[in-house]
Amino acid sequence: MTVTRPVVVGLDGSKTATHAVQWAAEEAARRKTGLVITHSCVLVPARTLDLIAPAESYADSVLDEGRQWLTEAAATALKAGPQIDVKTELSAGNAAEQLIGRSASADLLVVGSHGQGGFAGLLAGSTAIAVTTHAHCPVVVIRSTEPDPPSSAPVLVGVDGSPASDAALAFAFKAAALRGVALHAVRTWWDLTAETAWQRGLTATNLASIEAAEQRLLAEQVAEHSVAYPDVPVQQLLARDRPARTLVKHSANAQLVVVGTRGRGGFRGLLLGSTSQALIHHAHCPVGVVPLAQQ
């Protein structure tokens, strides 16, 4: 018997987390799976004077608040996806650690870019960065509390020929198919050639040849995955620019942008690449970060 893994979403009472719950509920409905809304409380011991008898302990108060948030979030989720099975989980501990552990049994993990613990002006919180770095399943970071892009907007994916981008491409094709929209696959090559062209003595003819080769590599990588999704229209975009800058720009017209945790230019041992981090901080739509398949 096949066990369907749920979509899991982290909740902390913030507006961004509420938007994440709505997004996660809609995604669970698309995937025909359940939704688990989880909240972690940090129970810091509190001391009071012996002469004062508190009406309830600090821990009880924090837990009660968490239960209330979960109840409200479950109602929000059922409005977004009335047909899905919604469960809630309340735990004590560090939110990032709890979510990373929960990701081992999830199909997808959804978090807000920053929550109640975030500082004003901080573009992405520590929980979002930690989870995308260490999660065992794909993670979608909800970047804004603004309304979602049009449902007809494409899914955008960054590819560079690396195994990580293959994982991202597979995830993006599925996301596009579930939404019935086009997939825009982006490959860049500025960082490999154009920036150092003067050092290598490359001519315009050389650069044109390199661009043609890059276009061919993009087409080949996309073709390997498009076989499983023949009904998904694909637009291939080749740009002579930095990957992060190109993807951030195109994310303004997408409903989801997808990347691998670390691409071709990543340093060995670096778990989350610069492009992934830049998108989490600056993208104009939700960001999907896909780890390599667990062995």
Side-chain angles (χ1 to χ4, degrees):
M1 178 179 178
T2 302
V3 177
T4 303
R5 295 187 171 201
V7 172
V8 176
V9 58
L11 178 73
D12 67 358
S14 67
K15 290 183 179 180
T16 304
T18 298
H19 191 54
V21 168
Q22 296 172 332
W23 194 96
E26 294 171 357
E27 186 66 13
R30 293 187 193 99
R31 293 170 178 254
K32 294 181 171 56
T33 190
L35 175 68
V36 176
I37 307 172
T38 180
H39 172 65
S40 298
C41 301
V42 178
L43 302 179
V44 180
R47 299 185 63 182
T48 61
L49 295 175
D50 294 339
L51 298 177
I52 300 176
E56 60 181 11
S57 71
Y58 169 80
D60 289 340
S61 176
V62 171
L63 291 170
D64 285 344
E65 182 179 51
R67 293 187 187 99
Q68 180 62 32
W69 286 345
L70 287 169
T71 298
E72 294 172 356
T76 297
L78 287 172
K79 289 181 181 179
Q83 71 275 38
I84 64 175
D85 177 39
V86 179
K87 296 180 180 179
T88 61
E89 294 178 351
L90 181 65
S91 60
N94 177 272
E97 293 176 358
Q98 296 291 332
L99 288 168
I100 292 167
R102 194 65 177 80
S103 71
S105 58
D107 188 42
L108 177 68
L109 186 60
V110 183
V111 295
S113 58
H114 59 272
Q116 286 202 332
F119 294 97
L122 192 64
L123 297 176
S126 58
T127 297
I129 295 297
V131 169
T132 51
T133 301
H134 298 289
H136 305 285
C137 70
V139 179
V140 171
V141 179
I142 304 302
R143 281 275 307 128
S144 172
T145 57
E146 297 300 320
D148 290 330
S151 59
S152 60
V155 171
L156 180 69
V157 60
V159 299
D160 64 5
S162 68
S165 74
D166 271 327
L169 195 53
F171 180 91
F173 259 110
K174 180 177 180 179
L178 289 173
R179 291 161 173 76
V181 300
L183 176 70
H184 290 187
V186 177
R187 181 182 174 105
T188 66
W189 59 284
W190 175 275
D191 56 332
L192 294 181
T193 57
E195 188 173 344
T196 57
W198 66 273
Q199 295 175 329
R200 301 181 185 182
L202 296 178
T203 65
T205 302
N206 295 140
L207 291 175
S209 177
I210 292 170
E211 184 168 4
E214 291 289 333
Q215 187 69 62
R216 175 178 55 78
L217 292 171
L218 171 60
E220 290 176 352
Q221 188 175 11
V222 169
E224 292 177 3
H225 294 270
S226 62
V227 174
Y229 298 95
D231 297 329
V232 175
V234 179
Q235 181 175 345
Q236 299 177 30
L237 306 171
L238 183 66
R240 191 188 302 180
D241 200 352
R242 296 287 189 179
R245 184 162 54 189
T246 300
L247 289 169
V248 168
K249 174 183 175 182
H250 286 283
S251 72
N253 298 312
Q255 62 173 289
L256 176 67
V257 56
V258 183
V259 289
T261 49
R262 182 169 59 88
R264 183 177 55 187
F267 293 98
R268 184 177 300 274
L270 189 64
L271 297 178
L272 192 65
S274 59
T275 299
S276 305
Q277 292 193 53
L279 286 168
I280 293 170
H281 287 292
H282 300 292
H284 303 286
C285 67
V287 179
V289 180
V290 183
L292 284 171
Q294 300 298 306
Q295 300 299 320

